[in-house]
Amino acid sequence: MTNPELKNASKTNQNVAQALISYCSTVDISHIFAVPGGAIEPLFNAIAVSNDLSLVIARHESGAAFMADGFYRETGRMAVACATTGPGATNLITGVASAYAENIPMLVITAQTPLAKFGRKALQESSSVAVDTVSLFTPITVFNMLVADASQLKTAFFAAVCAALRHKKPVHLSIPSDVFRQSINFEELGTLPKEANFVDEEDLTKLLAGLSKSKRIALLVGENVSGAQKEIANFINMVDCQYACTPMGKGFVDETHPNFMGVFGFAGHASAKELLDMNSDIIVCAGMELDELSTSGWSNLTNNNKVFHLNANPECFVRACSSNQVFGSVKTIFQRLNKELSNWGLKSSKENSSLKQIEYSSTPSEKIKPQDLMRKLSKAADARYFIDAGNSWSWATHYLLTSSNNGEYRIGMGFGSMACAIGASIGGAFNRKTTFCVVG
C-alpha cells in the first residue's frame, strides 16, 4: 500500500476503540484478524457497529498473524492482527516474528488490563511490572508503544502506520481496556508518505560501466523485488541474459522462460549454480537478503567483485562483504538501466545450457510422488501457492515452476515457522483466487 487516498474522517463523540477503527479505514485497512478476549472486548464492540472493517476470527493468535501476513502478500494492503492481554498477546509472537523476518507490514493491536490495575497482580496482567508484553514485541516490530491515554492515539497510530509501510515490518500498539473506552476528540490523520523511488547515481554509474565491459551477464533475482517484475522482465528480454532466482524469489520471475536456469540456493538446480560460477563476467543480484538459504550457505556471492548487489535496504550490504553495491529502489534501478541500455544494443552471450532438474522415476502403479504433484500444481491457471516449512520447501522449490511473475508463489523461509502457510493461505484466499496450501 503506497500513499492511499485518505477518506473523510470527520467524526465526533467517539471512544478510542471507535476512533481506532475509523483511523484504520482512512489508511485503507479493511481486514482485522483476531481472537477475542475480555480486555479487547471494547474494540470488538466498536467493530460490531462499524461497516469499515471485516472481522475474521482465528482459532489461535499466531494464526491471526499468519492470516494478516497472507492477506498482505495477496493484496499488497496491510491488515490488523489483534489479541487480548497476557497469553493472547504472547500467542501472537511467532506470527509477528515471522512477518518481521519476511518483511511484511502488519498492524498488531493487543489489549492490557486497566491502567488502575497495573502492578496489582491483575488477571492476565502484562504491564511493565508483570509479563511485559510491550517489551516482548520490541525486537520483532519497528514501532512499539503503550497507548496510555486517548490523547496519544492519533500520533501513535500515524507513526506506527508510517513505520510499517516504510520498513515493511510489523508495528505494535498496546492499549489498556479502560483507555479503549475513553472519549476522544477525533482528529484527521495527515497524508501518508509515498514510497521512495531513488538510486545512488555513483553506484549506478559503476554498474553501467561493469555491464559495458561484460560479454556474459547473469542475473539473480531475490525476494525484495515486488513491484519491479515488469522492469526486470524487460531487462532480461533486452539483454537476452540467462537468469536464476532464490527460493523466495521464485514468485517474481517466469520459470518457463528459455533463459531461466533455475533456483540458486536451498533445493536449487545445478544449472543455476553453473550460471553463477566463474564463467559469468558480471552477476547482477537484485533484492537479495543474502541469507543462508538464498546464497547456498553464503557462497562466493557475498565476497566476489563480479557481483553487483541491488537493494533498497542498506542492511543487506553488510553481508555482501567486498561485492559491489547499488543502493536504491530495485524498480528505479532497472528503469534507469533499461533506459540507458536501450541505446547500446547490448546482448549477453549465453552458455548452450538449460534448466537441469533432478531426474526421478514414476510409474502409474505407484502412489503419487511429490515431484509429480508439484508439476501438476504448476499447471493450475491463475493460482496462488503458499508453501509451508518442512519437506514441502524442497519439493516446491525444485519442481513447482510457474510462468507468473506476479508474486503468486509464497514461501516463508525468513523465519521458517511451521504451519505459517495454513493461516497465510486463508488470509490470501480473501481475494477469491484458486489457492493451494502445500504442507508436510
Side-chain angles (χ1 to χ4, degrees), residues 39-118:
I40 200 72
E41 182 181 357
L43 184 61
F44 278 72
N45 292 340
I47 296 170
V49 298
S50 169
N51 295 320
D52 294 331
L53 263 72
S54 297
L55 174 63
V56 182
I57 301 297
R59 291 293 180 264
H60 190 277
E61 290 83 356
S62 267
F66 291 139
M67 290 178 193
D69 178 317
F71 183 85
Y72 175 80
R73 291 176 191 263
E74 175 61 29
T75 67
R77 292 188 287 119
M78 185 166 62
V80 174
C82 176
T84 193
T85 185
T90 58
N91 281 348
L92 271 172
I93 287 177
T94 297
V96 177
S98 182
Y100 184 90
E102 307 286 347
N103 300 317
I104 302 294
M106 179 187 300
L107 176 58
V108 182
I109 300 173
T110 63
Q112 291 267 7
T113 53
L115 285 169
K117 293 184 178 181
F118 276 26

Side-chain angles (χ1 to χ4, degrees), residues 16 32 35 75 123 221 256 335 437:
V16 165
I32 179 168
V35 175
T75 67
L123 175 65
V221 179
T256 64
Q335 285 175 335
C437 178

Side-chain angles (χ1 to χ4, degrees), residues 22 61 70 79 206 286 296 320 325 352 360 375 394 401 414:
S22 297
E61 290 83 356
K206 290 180 181 178
S296 194
Q325 304 163 5
N352 186 21
Y360 67 97
R375 286 178 168 171
S394 300
L401 307 177

Side-chain angles (χ1 to χ4, degrees), residues 33-216:
F33 301 92
V35 175
I40 200 72
E41 182 181 357
L43 184 61
F44 278 72
N45 292 340
I47 296 170
V49 298
S50 169
N51 295 320
D52 294 331
L53 263 72
S54 297
L55 174 63
V56 182
I57 301 297
R59 291 293 180 264
H60 190 277
E61 290 83 356
S62 267
F66 291 139
M67 290 178 193
D69 178 317
F71 183 85
Y72 175 80
R73 291 176 191 263
E74 175 61 29
T75 67
R77 292 188 287 119
M78 185 166 62
V80 174
C82 176
T84 193
T85 185
T90 58
N91 281 348
L92 271 172
I93 287 177
T94 297
V96 177
S98 182
Y100 184 90
E102 307 286 347
N103 300 317
I104 302 294
M106 179 187 300
L107 176 58
V108 182
I109 300 173
T110 63
Q112 291 267 7
T113 53
L115 285 169
K117 293 184 178 181
F118 276 26
R120 299 178 64 188
K121 207 70 172 168
L123 175 65
Q124 297 183 334
E125 182 181 348
S126 50
S127 70
S128 60
V129 292
V131 178
D132 187 355
T133 51
V134 175
S135 293
L136 291 174
F137 279 98
T138 297
I140 55 173
T141 58
V142 291
F143 184 91
N144 182 30
M145 180 176 172
L146 171 68
V147 180
D149 187 80
S151 62
Q152 299 174 336
L153 179 65
K154 176 188 173 183
T155 300
F157 181 88
F158 190 71
V161 171
C162 288
L165 297 177
R166 176 188 175 193
H167 297 285
K168 299 292 190 292
K169 301 280 187 182
V171 293
H172 174 230
L173 298 178
S174 181
I175 306 177
S177 60
D178 55 334
V179 175
F180 271 126
R181 295 185 175 95
Q182 287 180 2
S183 297
I184 186 171
N185 181 21
F186 190 92
E187 299 178 32
E188 294 185 13
L189 296 176
T191 302
L192 292 176
K194 295 182 179 180
E195 186 172 327
N197 294 316
F198 66 97
V199 60
D200 185 290
E201 295 295 336
E202 184 177 343
D203 291 349
L204 182 65
T205 299
K206 290 180 181 178
L207 174 57
L208 286 167
L211 288 168
S212 69
K213 301 173 185 176
S214 301
K215 292 184 178 179
R216 186 169 185 225

Side-chain angles (χ1 to χ4, degrees), residues 340-353:
E340 293 288 338
L341 298 179
S342 63
N343 299 319
W344 291 14
L346 179 66
K347 293 290 182 181
S348 172
S349 62
K350 295 183 290 188
E351 291 289 325
N352 186 21
S353 60

